[in-house]
Amino acid sequence: MTESANLLKTPSYDLHVEAGARMVPFAGYDMPVQYPMGIKKEHLHTREKAGLFDVSHMGQVKLKGEKAAQALEALVPVDIIDLPLLKQRYALFTNDKGGVLDDLMVTCVDDGLFLVVNAACKEQDIAHLKANLDSSVTVEVLDDKALLALQGPEAKNVMAKLAPESQFMTFMTAKSLEIGGINCFVTRSGYTGEDGFEISVAKDQAVDLARMLLAEDAVEWIGLGARDSLRLEAGLCLYGHELTTDITPIEASLNWAISKARRPDGVRAGGYPGADVIGGQMLSGAPRKRVAILPQGKMPVRDGAEIITEDETLVGIVTSGGFGPSLNVPITMALLDTDVAQGQQPLFAMVRGKAIPVEITSLPFVKQNYYRGA
Amino acid sequence: MSQIKYTEDHEWIEIHGDGTATIGITDFAQEQLGDLVYVEVPEEGSDITKGEAVSVIESVKAASDLIAPVSGTIIESNQSLEDEPEKVNEDPMGDGWFIKVQIADESELEDLMDEAAYQACIE
């Protein structure tokens, strides 16, 4: 039914079809949005057991060269120079206005830096890197790799069985592992709020790896639909929603992502695009803030809904809105004017001409279960 | 004797033969929508117009409309959908019905599809 002729396929495409997935176009790829289990059950399965996500559409990039760390630091407000070997950090490519071009994961590896970027932004990110990094730094696009994410409380048990060394990894660390005899590069990370792993593997071994993981009772394929509801419940930003070229990291309430060394009072303050705007907002506040909002009742409030006060003043906009299956209520994230973000006055979301009372709450909606060590 | 007809909007209408009909969405529609999380239950007594939105159906992913397959007056709404929208996923042609209506103009039923035509339309 969908026009799939021009869409790219990940190595696991046939496995998704075999599993009964509904495939949809996403960032130029034909991707599984849900499997027969359905989004709600897939979501809950990930929170209770382990979900396997095909995220091979995301961009995997290696930066090589002596000056790689120094060069990447000039594009992100994050400490890359002192990023220890096999440690991972969340980073943001910023623009001159302090807005965000993309968010990414950076891992220090023995031959350089390993980056994972969003599928929809990857061409632009690669061009951005090539245009702005020191000419001695090479930008290698890892087109020969697939990426799978195993997420949920059972992920560690599945991995311990197939790759015992994985149990010594903590959140945001990396390791080269053999998983059931297949060479993989693994980070203990993900984007669901659960403990889990992201596994980079040669494209031609991705299907074998996926089958091996799916053979475990706890593991089921999970589609993009549940991936979105999981990250929303976990209070995580999605590029194009909470992060755009017009929203600064401070407005997106990502102050924690600005490394100490790069803050206005840090040892390597500034020195990235938009540092004046972002540094200024760190010191004196941003005009808007990302907040968590709970709509009253059961009607979901979707992206783009306006947030108003009792006297109908427009004070914000919903950036991600949907339903949180773990909480069984509608949940949203919104960008609100800072002076109303404290939650001192009644607020409403406009849905189809109706004003729905909403309440500001704290992020994340569900507890994050990262493994930071015993 | 009642008969069931279908619309291009993937709804069914069971015509009871006494001027009333029951309306819901098809199994194909509920499967396409995915897990429903909210149904705006239409107000009993309100008038509906063929082709116009009667109420909103929300799945985890997105919102869509229940479109009136016929003009008339709502004589009963399935109030249980307010707390249990999942009934529409579980039993779209039975417990997951939306509204019962008093049909205003039976001639509007003529261009609706029978089951064979509807099956052909979704294949």
Side-chain angles (χ1 to χ4, degrees):
Chain A
M1 284 206 324
T2 45
E3 193 57 58
S4 60
N6 298 317
L7 294 173
L8 297 166
K9 292 180 164 90
T10 71
S12 304
Y13 176 86
D14 290 342
L15 282 191
H16 301 314
V17 172
E18 184 184 304
R22 184 181 311 155
M23 306 300 288
V24 297
F26 183 83
Y29 286 79
D30 205 3
M31 295 298 288
V33 64
Q34 67 172 84
Y35 298 86
M37 211 195 287
I39 294 177
K40 264 165 94 171
K41 287 194 185 117
E42 289 173 34
H43 177 113
L44 296 172
H45 182 90
T46 307
R47 291 260 184 262
E48 284 155 19
K49 292 183 172 165
L52 183 64
F53 302 74
D54 181 9
V55 284
S56 303
H57 57 315
M58 297 184 80
Q60 301 182 67
V61 179
K62 183 82 70 79
L63 302 183
K64 286 181 181 167
E66 255 176 57
K67 291 184 180 162
Q70 196 186 327
L72 183 61
E73 259 216 19
L75 300 180
V76 299
V78 177
D79 178 358
I80 304 294
I81 289 175
D82 291 326
L83 177 61
L85 185 64
L86 298 179
K87 292 272 197 285
Q88 187 177 39
R89 251 171 218 158
Y90 177 72
L92 305 143
F93 289 126
T94 51
N95 67 18
D96 290 337
K97 297 183 301 174
V100 178
L101 299 169
D102 195 9
D103 60 338
L104 67 152
M105 289 290 202
V106 183
T107 309
C108 179
V109 292
D110 52 12
D111 60 346
L113 294 167
F114 171 66
L115 275 48
V116 178
V117 302
N118 278 308
C121 300
K122 67 183 173 187
E123 299 307 325
Q124 165 207 310
D125 289 342
I126 291 159
H128 181 62
L129 288 166
K130 286 183 174 164
N132 292 292
L133 294 184
D134 186 279
S135 58
S136 69
V137 178
T138 58
V139 179
E140 191 185 322
V141 181
L142 306 179
D143 281 332
D144 56 339
K145 301 284 191 198
L147 193 65
L148 295 173
L150 185 69
Q151 302 279 297
E154 292 284 336
K156 62 175 185 293
N157 303 330
V158 170
M159 286 291 284
K161 182 177 158 191
L162 299 168
E165 277 176 277
S166 64
Q167 59 192 302
F168 304 111
M169 298 172 70
T170 53
F171 184 53
M172 300 294 269
T173 66
K175 212 171 181 61
S176 290
L177 292 177
E178 258 189 31
I179 303 177
I182 298 173
N183 286 320
C184 301
F185 182 73
V186 179
T187 60
R188 195 150 190 173
S189 64
Y191 221 61
T192 59
E194 296 300 323
D195 179 24
F197 301 83
E198 291 204 345
I199 307 165
S200 177
V201 61
K203 267 187 173 170
D204 57 9
Q205 290 184 294
V207 169
D208 288 344
L209 177 64
R211 282 198 196 279
M212 192 189 309
L213 293 168
L214 289 165
E216 299 297 319
D217 282 345
V219 182
E220 296 288 345
W221 274 128
I222 308 296
L224 292 178
R227 186 172 166 81
D228 189 47
S229 56
L230 287 159
R231 72 92 201 163
L232 176 55
E233 275 188 350
L236 300 170
C237 294
L238 178 63
Y239 195 77
H241 293 251
E242 286 72 36
L243 300 172
T244 71
T245 51
D246 295 318
I247 301 170
T248 71
I250 309 307
E251 290 175 319
S253 300
L254 291 175
N255 303 48
W256 59 268
I258 318 293
S259 302
K260 252 187 186 157
R262 311 299 304 282
R263 295 181 183 186
D265 57 351
V267 289
R268 293 193 305 283
Y272 57 89
D276 49 339
V277 177
I278 294 169
Q281 291 186 347
M282 287 203 92
L283 294 171
S284 46
R288 307 176 293 178
K289 288 304 268 181
R290 173 176 63 105
V291 297
I293 279 182
L294 282 175
Q296 212 175 77
K298 295 213 91 177
M299 184 162 73
V301 175
R302 307 282 178 182
D303 312 8
E306 293 181 335
I307 306 290
I308 58 166
T309 57
E310 230 163 2
D311 63 4
E312 298 187 4
T313 309
L314 178 65
V315 291
I317 194 139
V318 171
T319 50
S320 287
F323 189 81
S326 302
L327 302 166
N328 207 29
V329 293
I331 54 174
T332 78
M333 292 197 282
L335 263 186
L336 285 193
D337 292 351
T338 304
D339 55 340
V340 301
Q342 307 304 324
Q344 310 287 12
Q345 56 177 309
L347 296 174
F348 304 85
M350 291 305 294
V351 182
R352 297 179 287 267
K354 268 188 229 161
I356 311 294
V358 297
E359 204 172 287
I360 296 174
T361 182
S362 54
L363 284 168
F365 293 99
V366 296
K367 192 174 136 280
Q368 294 168 337
N369 292 315
Y370 307 133
Y371 179 69
R372 297 179 195 272
Chain B
M1 204 185 90
S2 73
Q3 67 175 131
I4 299 181
K5 292 207 167 190
Y6 299 85
T7 75
E8 284 169 1
D9 301 310
H10 306 290
E11 288 163 15
W12 55 267
I13 172 165
E14 184 175 2
I15 303 149
H16 301 301
D18 61 353
T20 68
T22 304
I23 293 164
I25 67 170
T26 65
D27 188 51
F28 176 85
Q30 70 78 19
E31 208 182 296
Q32 289 295 308
L33 289 168
D35 297 321
L36 295 196
V37 295
Y38 175 78
V39 170
E40 180 190 55
V41 176
E43 209 175 308
E44 289 170 4
S46 56
D47 290 334
I48 61 172
T49 306
K50 181 173 174 148
E52 288 184 7
V54 178
S55 77
V56 177
I57 308 165
E58 303 243 14
S59 71
V60 179
K61 285 183 306 216
S64 54
D65 290 320
L66 180 76
I67 305 290
V70 66
S71 303
T73 305
I74 298 175
I75 50 178
E76 192 182 347
S77 293
N78 187 352
Q79 303 292 340
S80 70
L81 298 186
E82 186 151 349
D83 290 324
E84 298 168 276
E86 60 274 12
K87 275 187 175 176
V88 180
N89 293 113
E90 289 157 6
D91 191 10
M93 307 276 295
D95 281 351
W97 64 277
F98 279 73
I99 48 173
K100 291 194 174 120
V101 298
Q102 182 73 46
I103 301 167
D105 177 3
E106 301 224 1
S107 72
E108 284 183 349
L109 301 169
E110 283 163 19
D111 56 346
L112 299 177
M113 288 179 271
D114 62 14
E115 181 161 10
Y118 180 66
Q119 286 304 328
C121 147
I122 59 174
E123 262 159 27

